[in-house]
Amino acid sequence: MSSTPRKRPAPDALVAGIVVVILIALVAAVFLSGAGSTLYPPDAVTSEAREIRGLYDIVFAFAVAIFLVVEALIVWSVLRYRRRPTDVELPVQTHGNNLVEVIWTVVPTAIVLFLFVISWNTLNNVDAVSNEPDVRVHAIAGQFAWQFEYLDESGNKVATQLAPAYDAETGVGGMAVPVGRSIQVTLDSPDVIHAFYVPRFLFKRDVVPGQTNRFEFTVDEDEAGQVFRGQCAELCGTGHRQMLFNVIALSPADYETWLAALVERSNATPAPLPSGPVLNVTAKNIAFDTTAVEVPADAPFGIAFSNDDPPGILHDVDIRDAGGTVVANQDTIDGGTSANYSYGPLAAAQYTFFCSIHANMTGTLTAK
Amino acid sequence: MATHALSPAAQAYSRGTLYDWLTTTDHKKIGIMYVINSFIFFLVGGVLALVVRTELAQPGLQYLTNEHVYNEMFTMHATLMIFVFVIPMLAGLGNYAVPLMIGAPDMAFPRINALSLWMLPLGGLLLISSFFTGGSAAAGWTSYPPLSAEGPLNSPGAGQDLWIVALVLIGTSSILGGINFLVTIFKMRAPGMTLFRMPIMVWTILVTSVLVVMATPVITSALVMLFIDRNYGGHFFDPFQGGSAVLYQNIFWFYSHPAVYVMVLPAMGVVSEVLPVFSRKPLFGYKAFIFATAGIGALGFSVWAHHMFTTGAVFLPFFSLLTFLIAVPTGVKMFNWVFTLFRGQLTFSTPLVFALGFLTMFLIGGINGAFSASVPVDFALHDTYWVVAHLHYVLFGGSVFGIFAGIYYWFPKWTGRMLNEGLGHLQFWLMFIGFNLTFFPMHMLGIQGMPRRIADYASDAGWNDWNLAATIGGFLIASSMLPFIWNVFISLRNGKVAGDDPWEGNTLEWATTSPPPPYNFDHLPEIRSERPLFDARHGHAGHAGH
Amino acid sequence: MTADSHALATTGEHTPLAGLAHDTRGGISNVVLGMLLFITSEVMFFAGLFAAYFNTRASNHPWPPDEFAHILNPFSIILVATIILISSSFTCQLAVWAIRRSDRTGFLRNIAITFVLGVVFLLLQAYDYSLLFEEGMTLGSGPFGTTYFTLTGFHGAHVFGGVIMLGVVLYRGMSGQFSSRHHDAVEAASLYWHFVDVVWILLFSILYFL
C-alpha cells in the first residue's frame, strides 16, 4: 500500500448514516408503540423491589450517560478524523497525556465506589430478615414442582400447598400472602439447585440442597388481589421450564380465610378407596412401577397411588386420551405419601396415564 | 518499505504437503491450523445456537419436543464456543503473531506447540461424539452438581463424562500453550525489545498466559472431582453425603472468571494493534494500557463469586466492590483506544471497521455488566436473559469482532494475499446488525423476567416479539458467514498480492515477507520503541509530539 | 543480522549457571523456566483439591469420622514412605550437583538411587492403599474417603510421572547425553521431583497432623 490515501469516498459513511437513522427510527417506534415499557423493569410490588428499582434507575442513569459520552467520542472521531487526500503528513503523534489519564482513572473510580456504597446500602435493606416475621413459608423446590408449607410462629407446619400455580378458573393454587405484612420464606431442595424467582419482586434466591436459604419481603398494600408469576431460575433438568408458581397477594382478612381453607384441606382425612375396581400404582425413582394397566370401560375406577420418592418430589396420575386431551386431572401428592384417586367412567379406548410433573413417566391405560 | 526477495518466493512458504502440515512444528503453520480448527467449531457452535433460537422464536415447543435435547443444545453451544472456538482462536492468532512481533524464529517449545494444537480437534471431536453416544452433556456449560452428577433426573449417561474428559484434554492444551507463550516472551525477544517496547498484542498474550497457567488447573481439579463423584462414588459435591454443591461453584468460577479475560484480552490486543496502524498515531497511553491489562488480570482472580451472588453463600460486599473496581482499568483502556482515534487520520479498511465494532459493542457489554456488579440489581438479573445479553456483548461484540479484526489484519501476512474489502465490509454490516438485533432485545427479556435455559416460555408473558426479533438477528449473523467464507476462498486463489507490509504496520511481523520464511526474519530493524517499523519508516518524525 | 548476541556460550564459565544451556545474555534456561511454569500450574491443580479438602473437612464433624480415625496414624508405614521420599530429594539434588561439576558417575549413581527410592515410595503407597481397602475404606467412604484417596491418589500419580521422568533422565545419562554445560533435563526433572516432595510434606502434615 502506498502512502497516498484513497481518493474515492468510502461507502461506509453512507451505510453508517443509514444504520444510525434506522436505529433512531426503531427506538422511536418502540417507545411510541408502548412496547417501550419493556425497556424498564416491571413496576415493583414489594418494598424491597422498590428499593432495588431505585438502585437500578441510578445505575441506569450512569450507564446511559457513560454510553452516550463514549459513543459520541467514537462517532465524532470516526466522522471528523477520516483520512483525507490532503493528509500526507502524519498527524501529531500524541503518546499520552498524564493529566487526562489521571482524570479518567480517578473519576471512574469515584463513580464505581459511589455505586458500590449505594448498592451495599440497598443490599442491607433487601437482605434483612427479622426474628418475628408475620408469615413464615417454607418453599420446597423439587424436580420439577414447587410446594409451599405454611408454618406457625414456632416453625411447625400447619398447611401444605401442593398446587404451586394459580388456576384462574378454579381459583385454586399458588402461594398466597397477606399484603403489608412481612413474609419470610425459607428454601430447601431434596435434589438439585433451583431458584425462587418472582420478576415483579425484582428478586431471586437460589434453593441449594443441603443449605436453607432465607429471605423476606413485604407486598405493597395496594397490590391486594394481584397474582404474580414466579418461575425456577436455575437449570434443574428437563422440566426446568415447567417449574412455575404464583404468588397471590391478598388482603389480610382474605388471607386468613384462604389459609384456613388450606389448613382444612391439608388436614382432611384422605379420600376413601372409591367403589369399583382399584389399581395399585407406585411411583419410585421418577418412574411408575407399571407401564400398562387395564380398566373396565364405562365404569368408575380408582387408583391407590403411593409416592415412594423422597419428600419434595411430587407425582400424580393424570390421564389423557389419544388426541392429547386431559380427561383426568388429579392433585399431586408429596413423596412419602399416598392417595386414593377416583376416576370417572372412560369410554373404551386407549389412553395414556402420566405424571403431570415428570414427562417421562407415562404408561398405557386400556379401557375395555 | 523494501520488499524482501527471498528464495523460494514468499508464497511458497505457506504451501506444503499435507504431511508437512500434519507434522509441522512451525508456529506459523500451527497458528493457521489453530485458526482453521477454531473457525470450524465456531460454525458448529453457531448451528447449535440457531437450533436454540429457532425453538425460541415462538412460544410452544415446536421442534424440540424433548426438553432434554434443548438442554443439550445450549450446553454444547456454550461449551464449544468457549473452549474450542474463542480461547483457541485467540491462542492461534497469538501463536502466529507473537514470535514474529518479538523478532524470534519460533516459539520456545515447537513440539509442545504442535501437541497443544492437535489436542484441540481431538477434544472437539470427543465433545461432538457425545451426540452419537446417547446424548451430550445437558446441564449447562457450567455443569453444576447435583444436576451434573448421577441420578435419574440428572446426568446419567456418558455425555457428561465425555464432556469432562474433553475439557480436561482441552485445558491441558491451553496450559501447555500458556507455558510456551510465557517462555517465548520472556526469553526470546530480539535485542532492543525490552518488555516496555513489546507490542500490546504480546502483552495481552502474556497476561492471558499467566491467567491460563494459574487458573485452568483449578477447573481441571473441579472436573476431576466431578468425575470422581459421578463414577467412583465420590462425595465432593453431594450435599446429602457430606459434600457441598456450592463448593463446586466456587472452584469452577475461580477458573471461569479469569477465563473471560482469557477470552477477551488478546482480542483487546488485536484492537490495540489495529487502531494505531489505521489512525497513523501511536496507541494513546501505552504504558498505562499495560498496567491496566495487568490490573485486570490480577483483579480477575478476586471476583469469581459475583457469579454466585444469589446462592446465599457468598461474602457479598467484597466481591461486589472488586467487581465494580474492574471497571476502572477497563475504562482506562476504552479511553486509550478512543483517544488513539481522536485526531488521527483514519482509513476504514476492514480491520479498522471490525475494531470499531469491538469498541462500540464491548462498551455496551462492559456497561451492562456493571448492573450485575450491584448485588441487589443482580438479584433481579441473575440467570435471566440480561446475563445472556451481557455475555454476548462482551464475547461476541468484543471477542468475535476483535477476532475478525485480527483475521482481516493478518490474513495478508499468513497468505501473501489481501482479503477483498467489499466482502469484508458486507460481512461486518450483516454481522453488526444481526448481532444487535439478536442480543439487544435480550436486555428487555431479562428485566421483564425471562429466565435462561428454558426450552419454551408462556405465550402471555409478553416475551414473544423480542424472541422473534432475536431469532431473525441470529439468522442474519449466520448469513454474514457467507461473504466471509467466499472472501477467503476467492482471496486465496486470486486476491491482490499483499507484499511485506500492506497496511504500513508498526510492528516487526511486517518487516519480513508475506508469508515469512520458516526462520521468520532475514534481518531485523533497530528496535527502540514499541513501533520499530514505524520508526524505520519515519525516522525521528515518530517522536514528534508529546 | 546482529549474530553475536544469539550465539550459545561454548567457553567454560564458572558461575552458578554454568552447565545450563544459555545464550550470552544469561538468565534461566528455557527448559527450566518452562518446568517452573508447569510446576506452577500443578500447584494450582493441587490448590483446587486442597480447597475442596478444607471446605469438606470444615463442614463434617467429627473429622476424621470415628470409623476411620485410626488410619490417620502418622507413625506407620506412611512415615517410612515419607522419609524415603524426602531422602530421594536429597539424592536427586546430589545428582544435580554432580553433573554440574561433570561428575558423571556420581550423577548416574544418585539419579539411579532417586529413581529406586521413588519406586519404593509408590510401592509403599500401594501397600498402604491395600490395607485401607481391606478395612473397607474406598473413594466412596463418605467425604473422608473421597478426599483422602483423591489427594493421595493424585499425588501418587504425580510421583509416578516423576519416576518416569527420572527414568528418562537416567537412560539419557547412561547414553552420555549430559555434561556440565548441557543438562537442562536434569535440572528440570529435579525441580519437578522437589515439587512432588514438597506437596507430599504438605499433604502428609495436613492429612495426618492438622
Side-chain angles (χ1 to χ4, degrees):
Chain A
M1 177 174 122
S2 66
S3 288
T4 52
R6 262 195 279 271
K7 289 187 174 56
R8 64 179 203 288
D12 289 305
L14 196 58
V15 180
I18 293 175
V19 168
V20 168
V21 167
I22 292 178
L23 275 174
I24 294 177
L26 264 176
V27 172
V30 162
F31 270 103
L32 291 172
S33 72
S37 63
T38 62
L39 295 171
Y40 304 109
D43 286 334
V45 298
T46 66
S47 47
E48 291 81 5
R50 239 199 319 290
E51 288 219 37
I52 296 177
R53 177 59 195 273
L55 182 60
Y56 176 94
D57 287 345
I58 296 175
V59 178
F60 187 81
F62 275 99
V64 169
I66 294 170
F67 172 77
L68 288 175
V69 164
V70 181
E71 294 284 0
L73 274 170
I74 296 174
V75 170
W76 166 251
S77 298
V78 161
L79 293 175
R80 165 72 180 80
Y81 297 109
R82 166 181 297 278
R83 186 178 183 186
R84 291 167 232 291
T86 46
D87 288 331
V88 179
E89 293 288 314
L90 288 170
V92 175
Q93 300 288 293
T94 312
H95 282 77
N97 180 312
N98 284 340
L99 174 66
V100 158
E101 294 183 50
V102 165
I103 291 177
W104 71 44
T105 308
V106 168
V107 170
T109 306
I111 293 175
V112 299
L113 285 176
F114 169 71
L115 291 176
F116 166 70
V117 168
I118 60 173
S119 299
W120 192 4
N121 192 41
T122 304
L123 174 64
N124 289 332
N125 296 341
V126 166
D127 249 4
V129 288
S130 54
N131 287 327
E132 303 283 330
D134 296 316
V135 174
R136 296 170 199 269
V137 178
H138 182 219
I140 302 171
Q143 287 164 311
F144 301 104
W146 295 89
Q147 54 177 301
F148 303 111
E149 293 177 349
Y150 284 80
L151 313 176
D152 63 16
E153 311 82 52
S154 328
N156 301 316
K157 179 168 67 174
V158 301
T160 305
Q161 171 63 284
L162 288 169
Y166 176 73
D167 183 340
E169 280 175 21
T170 60
V172 167
M175 175 179 133
V177 297
V179 298
R181 305 277 187 272
S182 58
I183 319 292
Q184 191 175 107
V185 179
T186 46
L187 299 166
D188 270 303
S189 161
D191 43 43
V192 299
I193 305 177
H194 300 268
F196 181 101
Y197 175 40
V198 179
R200 293 297 295 273
F201 292 5
L202 292 177
F203 184 87
K204 68 177 64 67
R205 185 57 52 91
D206 287 356
V207 185
V208 180
Q211 174 184 313
T212 301
N213 281 340
R214 183 184 309 259
F215 66 94
E216 232 170 78
F217 63 92
T218 305
V219 182
D220 291 344
E221 295 194 353
D222 52 7
E223 298 295 334
Q226 296 297 319
V227 177
F228 305 117
R229 292 188 60 253
Q231 190 167 358
C232 174
E234 183 64 54
L235 177 69
C236 54
T238 50
H240 173 54
R241 69 166 181 96
Q242 293 165 279
M243 279 189 71
L244 307 169
F245 65 93
N246 294 99
V247 177
I248 304 160
L250 297 172
S251 70
D254 288 340
Y255 168 74
E256 293 302 328
T257 317
W258 181 91
L259 184 63
L262 187 68
V263 171
E264 220 186 278
R265 257 203 326 279
S266 305
N267 295 332
T269 49
L273 275 174
S275 58
V278 172
L279 304 165
N280 284 311
V281 176
T282 305
K284 192 172 164 64
N285 282 335
I286 322 294
F288 289 123
D289 64 342
T290 171
T291 50
V293 297
E294 251 185 50
V295 297
D298 304 311
F301 63 97
I303 289 181
F305 178 54
S306 178
N307 181 347
D308 285 1
D309 270 328
I313 309 289
L314 276 52
H315 293 300
D316 61 9
V317 188
D318 294 346
I319 302 178
R320 61 173 178 256
D321 65 18
T325 313
V326 175
V327 297
N329 189 355
Q330 304 287 0
D331 289 340
T332 54
I333 60 170
D334 198 2
T337 65
S338 42
N340 298 325
Y341 287 144
S342 296
Y343 299 84
L346 293 174
Q350 284 267 47
Y351 298 84
T352 305
F353 69 90
F354 66 101
C355 169
S356 62
I357 294 177
H358 303 101
N360 62 302
M361 290 173 67
T362 58
T364 48
L365 182 142
T366 314
K368 51 172 6 178
Chain B
M1 188 68 217
T3 301
H4 297 79
L6 297 173
S7 175
Q11 238 71 304
Y13 294 123
S14 66
R15 299 284 149 76
T17 64
L18 181 64
Y19 181 79
D20 288 340
W21 282 85
L22 291 178
T23 57
T24 186
T25 59
D26 180 344
H27 74 100
K28 297 181 288 299
K29 289 198 163 64
I30 289 176
I32 289 173
M33 286 191 279
Y34 257 98
V35 169
I36 294 174
N37 184 69
S38 307
F39 184 72
I40 291 172
F41 283 98
F42 174 56
L43 295 179
V44 175
V47 167
L48 294 175
L50 286 180
V51 171
V52 167
R53 280 310 331 156
T54 306
E55 180 55 72
L56 288 178
Q58 291 172 294
L61 283 177
Q62 298 91 11
Y63 312 102
L64 301 176
T65 46
N66 176 356
E67 288 105 325
H68 187 85
V69 175
Y70 181 86
N71 293 355
E72 291 182 30
M73 295 291 107
F74 67 71
T75 298
M76 296 305 285
H77 161 73
T79 305
L80 288 174
M81 287 302 198
I82 293 169
F83 295 102
V84 206
F85 164 53
V86 177
I87 295 180
M89 172 66 88
L90 292 170
L93 292 180
N95 222 308
Y96 200 106
V98 166
L100 285 163
M101 284 177 141
I102 62 175
D106 205 311
M107 297 277 280
F109 305 114
R111 287 174 296 187
I112 292 186
N113 205 15
L115 177 67
S116 289
L117 165 71
W118 292 110
M119 287 163 110
L120 284 168
L122 182 58
L125 283 173
L126 267 179
L127 285 169
I128 307 243
S129 76
S130 61
F131 284 123
F132 304 106
T133 54
S136 73
W141 83 272
T142 47
S143 200
Y144 286 174
L147 181 63
S148 56
E150 296 284 315
L153 287 172
N154 298 343
S155 302
Q160 187 72 44
D161 293 304
L162 276 169
W163 185 89
I164 291 174
V165 171
L167 254 54
V168 170
L169 189 64
I170 293 170
T172 306
S173 153
S174 203
I175 294 171
L176 292 175
I179 295 174
N180 221 339
F181 276 122
L182 286 170
V183 178
T184 307
I185 293 171
F186 280 125
K187 297 282 302 170
M188 295 176 66
R189 281 168 284 125
M193 169 90 53
T194 61
L195 283 174
F196 282 97
R197 289 178 187 162
M198 293 199 306
I200 294 291
M201 178 72 188
V202 180
W203 268 108
T204 56
I205 292 282
L206 194 165
V207 174
T208 299
S209 300
V210 172
L211 296 178
V212 163
V213 167
M214 297 199 64
T216 315
V218 178
I219 198 181
T220 307
S221 78
L223 292 172
V224 154
M225 288 189 269
L226 183 63
F227 193 85
I228 289 175
D229 270 15
R230 284 177 55 82
N231 295 291
Y232 298 107
H235 303 293
F236 283 109
F237 308 127
D238 182 352
F240 306 109
Q241 297 267 11
S244 162
V246 171
L247 172 65
Y248 173 89
Q249 293 187 32
N250 274 299
I251 302 179
F252 174 86
W253 285 113
F254 189 83
Y255 161 75
S256 299
H257 189 80
V260 314
Y261 300 112
V262 169
M263 287 192 272
V264 93
L265 286 177
M268 292 179 164
V270 171
V271 168
S272 308
E273 296 303 323
V274 167
L275 290 181
V277 168
F278 294 91
S279 322
R280 306 186 85 206
K281 282 175 66 221
L283 180 71
F284 192 97
Y286 168 85
K287 251 200 179 136
F289 199 96
I290 291 171
F291 288 121
T293 303
I296 288 175
L299 270 174
F301 270 108
S302 65
V303 299
W304 77 91
H306 69 215
H307 301 269
M308 299 162 55
F309 278 158
T310 58
T311 57
V314 163
F315 182 45
L316 300 168
F318 173 82
F319 289 100
S320 174
L321 174 63
L322 288 167
T323 306
F324 270 120
L325 284 176
I326 278 205
V328 174
T330 313
V332 163
K333 295 169 107 165
M334 186 59 87
F335 287 119
N336 281 335
W337 287 320
V338 173
F339 277 80
T340 306
L341 296 169
F342 189 74
R343 296 202 179 146
Q345 291 166 3
L346 308 181
T347 304
F348 293 97
S349 305
T350 311
L352 181 67
V353 171
F354 272 100
L356 289 170
F358 175 102
L359 285 184
T360 50
M361 298 297 100
F362 184 79
L363 175 69
I364 297 178
I367 289 176
N368 64 24
F371 284 77
S372 296
S374 167
V375 178
V377 177
D378 186 63
F379 287 164
L381 301 176
H382 174 66
D383 258 334
T384 67
Y385 264 81
W386 179 281
V387 180
V388 181
H390 165 67
L391 76 92
H392 285 95
Y393 265 90
V394 286
L395 286 178
F396 193 122
S399 305
V400 174
F401 278 90
I403 285 169
F404 278 105
I407 292 177
Y408 279 91
Y409 181 57
W410 280 312
F411 185 91
K413 180 55 55 179
W414 302 341
T415 64
R417 306 280 189 156
M418 305 297 288
L419 279 168
N420 179 282
E421 283 289 309
L423 286 172
H425 288 213
L426 175 61
Q427 179 204 344
F428 172 79
W429 285 112
L430 286 173
M431 191 177 248
F432 185 83
I433 295 170
F435 165 77
N436 281 289
L437 186 59
T438 307
F439 296 108
F440 201 84
M442 293 188 182
H443 293 104
M444 284 77 97
L445 287 172
I447 49 177
Q448 290 293 310
M450 182 172 175
R452 294 174 71 171
R453 300 175 164 172
I454 51 174
D456 188 25
Y457 50 92
S459 54
D460 58 354
W463 303 335
N464 305 3
D465 295 334
W466 291 132
N467 268 296
L468 185 59
T471 301
I472 295 172
F475 280 92
L476 205 54
I477 296 175
S479 74
S480 75
M481 285 298 104
L482 297 171
F484 174 71
I485 295 172
W486 180 244
N487 200 351
V488 171
F489 182 68
I490 60 167
S491 302
L492 279 175
R493 301 163 118 240
N494 248 338
K496 189 170 83 149
V497 171
D500 292 3
D501 183 14
W503 307 120
E504 283 188 23
N506 295 329
T507 45
L508 289 176
E509 74 269 33
W510 308 107
T512 183
T513 58
S514 299
Y519 48 88
N520 288 350
F521 295 99
D522 227 15
H523 74 274
L524 282 168
E526 206 180 56
I527 300 168
R528 290 291 173 263
S529 79
E530 81 269 16
R531 298 191 296 168
L533 229 62
F534 179 92
D535 295 340
R537 194 183 306 121
H538 296 284
H540 290 287
H543 302 293
H546 169 57
Chain C
M1 174 175 170
T2 48
D4 41 55
S5 48
H6 293 279
L8 280 178
T10 51
T11 50
E13 284 156 33
H14 303 289
T15 71
L17 293 172
L20 299 183
H22 64 286
D23 60 41
T24 52
R25 290 178 296 179
I28 201 172
S29 92
N30 288 11
V31 172
V32 169
L33 178 58
M35 177 52 83
L36 285 174
L37 290 168
F38 177 69
I39 290 173
T40 306
S41 77
E42 293 290 273
V43 166
M44 293 309 292
F45 174 74
F46 276 101
L49 296 181
F50 272 110
Y53 170 79
F54 282 118
N55 182 290
T56 305
R57 178 172 161 163
S59 335
N60 284 282
H61 306 282
W63 188 279
D66 300 320
E67 67 265 34
F68 297 123
H70 62 285
I71 78 121
L72 286 186
N73 173 20
F75 302 104
S76 62
I77 197 113
I78 279 295
L79 185 62
V80 177
T82 304
I83 294 172
I84 286 187
L85 197 62
I86 296 178
S87 313
S88 74
S89 254
F90 279 104
T91 55
C92 189
Q93 194 57 36
L94 287 174
V96 169
W97 288 330
I99 193 63
R100 281 191 195 163
R101 55 173 197 269
S102 283
D103 174 10
R104 283 208 177 84
T105 327
F107 155 68
L108 283 173
R109 183 177 60 235
N110 278 301
I111 283 288
I113 295 175
T114 311
F115 177 86
V116 168
L117 290 177
V119 172
V120 170
F121 175 87
L122 284 173
L123 291 173
L124 289 176
Q125 182 73 280
Y127 175 65
D128 189 58
Y129 271 20
S130 73
L131 293 178
L132 294 174
F133 295 152
E134 260 171 49
E135 299 220 18
M137 185 171 140
T138 62
L139 262 173
S141 305
F144 180 77
T146 306
T147 50
Y148 181 89
F149 281 110
T150 302
L151 280 167
T152 55
F154 272 103
H155 175 262
H158 282 77
V159 173
F160 182 73
V163 161
I164 305 243
M165 235 183 264
L166 290 170
V168 169
V169 164
L170 182 60
Y171 173 79
R172 290 184 63 194
M174 291 189 333
S175 354
Q177 293 184 26
F178 297 126
S179 71
S180 71
R181 270 185 235 113
H182 296 120
H183 61 267
D184 280 344
V186 180
E187 300 279 348
S190 84
L191 282 169
Y192 181 81
W193 194 252
H194 294 317
F195 151 72
V196 148
D197 192 25
V198 168
V199 170
W200 177 252
I201 294 171
L202 265 171
L203 240 187
F204 180 61
S205 316
I206 290 173
L207 282 179
Y208 284 82
F209 286 110
L210 219 57

